[in-house]
Amino acid sequence: MINRYSRPEMKEIWEEKMKLQCMLEVEIAVCEQLTTEGSIPKEAMETIKEKANFDAERIREIEKTTKHDVIAFLTNVAEYVGEESCYIHLGLTSSDVLDTGLALQLSRSISILADDIKRLKGTLKKRALEHKNTLITGRTHGMQAEPTTLGHKLAIWYGEFDRAEKRIERVKEIIGVGKISGAVGVNPHISPQTEEAICLKLGLKAAPASSQIIQRDRHADFLLMLALTASSISKVATEVRHLQRSEVGEAEEFFSKGQKGSSAMPHKRNPVVSEQLCGLARIIQSNASAALQNVSLWHERDISHSSVERVILPDSSILLNYMLNKLNEVIENWVIYDEKMKENYEKSNGLLMSEHVMLALIRKSKMTREEAYGIVQKSAMKVFHDGDNFIDLLKNDPKVNAVLTTEELQDCFNLDAHFKNIENIFKRVFDN
């Protein structure tokens, strides 16, 4: 199901065929640079470019004997190229090809994810502007707190994915490096200058220093970026789920004609996509933990990281691609019940403006905060227990009347005054 919602390009990037294609691109780039420097005859290079190819099934067959994936790959390429294959893999070690090829796969994955984030940001911005002034109850600790707007919620989410976009651009620089530096990274056969030229041909930078491999803090950085983005997706999905609860009912995932919510209960309309997104975020977060453990390897290299990466890198990239697209779909089609939002706000009987009353008492009378807090809380607790109207209780409180006129008290409940800076907040979020 995940692949059905992921972009085909992302799935293809992590198929075996693309991995082998990236490895071949690295080998050819090395040969091209060595030809430029006179180490490989031009005629041989022409033959290599013309004939170099591979067959994934044949490579698997060879690997049954060699028990070594890169040797099996090189053996198969040589079957296509012929005697000129003696110039392929000159002065290289397996990880030169594997890690540089992996950098190509990761860089291409990042480009797709960056596009996904841009698309999601566009949807969040559109819905934020649409609901800039849509009243909704703000909640802290799950309890009604103060009024806010749905657009403000969406603007906050936009800002979070804007940071995700900046993060992904930074990680693109971190992960976009190759290495052609030999078995322990000291460039005994291919000079650092040649290494840089080869990487440049591939659209990468050369790692300034490497062991047998590119250092895995880079890959951990990539996974941490994916995990942070997945966490932001889960955060939004959690709010979608909460607002859809029967007792809240302020918004819900689009429920299509013919859709069913339960095999037992025909009335059910469940936030299934958001629940799924929250669950999938846990996988990417766990994979980031594995990537952190990959940083520490024996000496110049062991292979404890590679088996892990064959799972966590493709799985996390494909999952995040899927999740970003699904969240975009959820937000784009999110059904908003603004009348229900207003109704839930009004159930508070005015309590959500308690801070305004407390501050008005402090500012006008210069009474202590503790005293003003106590006066307001006394009426607030009566509303909680007896269901009275907050402003009516305050109007009848002699301590309030001694400080605030009826008009001044009424102003404390003016929503326009409460939201006077929404426009400025939106400018800060979207104009930047």
Side-chain angles (χ1 to χ4, degrees), residues 124 128 131 136-139 148-159 239 243 250 334 426:
L124 288 167
H131 291 285
I136 188 171
T137 299
R139 297 171 173 92
T148 181
T149 75
L150 181 61
H152 186 251
K153 276 185 190 284
L154 287 153
I156 290 170
W157 298 344
Y158 174 93
E239 183 70 4
L243 294 180
E250 295 176 351
W334 201 18
F426 267 58

Side-chain angles (χ1 to χ4, degrees), residues 278-291:
C278 290
L280 292 176
R282 298 167 194 164
I283 297 175
I284 299 180
Q285 290 158 352
S286 297
N287 288 349
S289 176

Side-chain angles (χ1 to χ4, degrees), residues 19-154:
K19 174 186 175 181
L20 296 169
Q21 180 59 43
C22 288
M23 290 167 64
L24 187 60
E25 287 178 32
V26 174
E27 294 284 6
I28 290 174
V30 173
C31 290
E32 285 177 336
Q33 185 58 32
L34 294 180
T35 300
T36 300
E37 296 177 7
S39 300
I40 296 177
K42 290 182 180 179
E43 298 78 10
M45 183 68 244
E46 289 172 7
T47 300
I48 291 168
K49 286 184 74 173
E50 179 186 344
K51 294 185 176 181
N53 210 336
F54 59 85
D55 182 293
E57 190 174 334
R58 172 65 178 146
I59 291 170
R60 285 193 292 272
E61 182 185 331
I62 297 168
E63 193 177 350
K64 288 177 183 177
T65 301
T66 63
K67 304 294 191 294
H68 194 290
D69 54 351
V70 177
I71 291 175
F73 165 75
L74 292 170
T75 301
N76 179 231
V77 173
E79 290 173 343
Y80 282 93
V81 174
E83 62 181 31
E84 284 84 358
S85 64
C86 66
Y87 295 108
I88 297 175
H89 207 69
L90 279 179
L92 273 61
T93 191
S94 297
S95 290
D96 288 333
V97 182
L98 289 171
D99 276 7
T100 307
L102 178 59
L104 294 176
Q105 289 177 282
L106 290 169
S107 296
R108 292 166 189 175
S109 293
I110 284 175
S111 295
I112 290 174
L113 294 173
D115 287 344
D116 292 338
I117 292 173
K118 281 188 178 73
R119 188 180 306 109
L120 176 58
K121 281 176 59 185
T123 301
L124 288 167
K125 181 177 181 179
K126 178 184 174 186
R127 298 305 309 260
L129 293 172
E130 179 185 345
H131 291 285
K132 180 166 61 175
N133 298 309
T134 300
L135 173 67
I136 188 171
T137 299
R139 297 171 173 92
T140 59
H141 305 277
M143 308 296 289
Q144 289 191 335
E146 285 193 357
T148 181
T149 75
L150 181 61
H152 186 251
K153 276 185 190 284
L154 287 153

Side-chain angles (χ1 to χ4, degrees), residues 370-403:
E370 288 74 20
E371 185 180 357
Y373 192 105
I375 291 169
V376 175
Q377 189 184 42
K378 179 184 175 183
S379 292
M381 293 305 101
K382 194 164 175 37
V383 174
F384 264 114
H385 294 301
D386 302 333
D388 295 332
N389 187 279
F390 188 42
I391 193 169
D392 289 342
L393 290 174
L394 292 169
K395 284 177 181 177
N396 293 319
D397 187 324
K399 291 184 179 179
V400 175
N401 290 332
V403 178

Side-chain angles (χ1 to χ4, degrees), residues 300-316:
E300 274 57 58
R301 184 226 182 177
D302 63 62
I303 64 165
S304 60
H305 67 288
S306 60
S307 55
V308 179
E309 289 173 355
R310 291 179 195 215
V311 176
I312 65 175
L313 292 177
D315 280 11
S316 298

Side-chain angles (χ1 to χ4, degrees), residues 279-349:
L280 292 176
R282 298 167 194 164
I283 297 175
I284 299 180
Q285 290 158 352
S286 297
N287 288 349
S289 176
L292 290 171
Q293 294 174 66
N294 280 348
V295 174
S296 177
L297 302 173
W298 287 20
H299 303 299
E300 274 57 58
R301 184 226 182 177
D302 63 62
I303 64 165
S304 60
H305 67 288
S306 60
S307 55
V308 179
E309 289 173 355
R310 291 179 195 215
V311 176
I312 65 175
L313 292 177
D315 280 11
S316 298
S317 299
I318 292 169
L319 271 177
L320 189 63
N321 172 228
Y322 168 80
M323 291 169 69
L324 286 165
N325 282 295
K326 288 305 289 180
L327 182 62
N328 186 71
E329 184 181 298
V330 168
I331 298 301
E332 201 168 39
N333 299 301
W334 201 18
V335 182
I336 307 303
Y337 299 115
D338 52 347
E339 286 302 315
K340 183 65 174 178
M341 292 175 180
K342 186 178 178 184
E343 179 188 324
N344 284 345
Y345 166 73
E346 289 173 349
K347 283 179 182 177
S348 72
N349 291 321

Side-chain angles (χ1 to χ4, degrees), residues 147 345 353 356 391 407-420:
Y345 166 73
M353 305 302 276
H356 287 265
I391 193 169
E407 185 178 336
E408 288 170 334
L409 181 59
Q410 199 73 46
D411 282 344
C412 295
F413 292 81
N414 184 342
L415 281 171
D416 289 339
H418 186 76
F419 294 138
K420 63 187 176 185

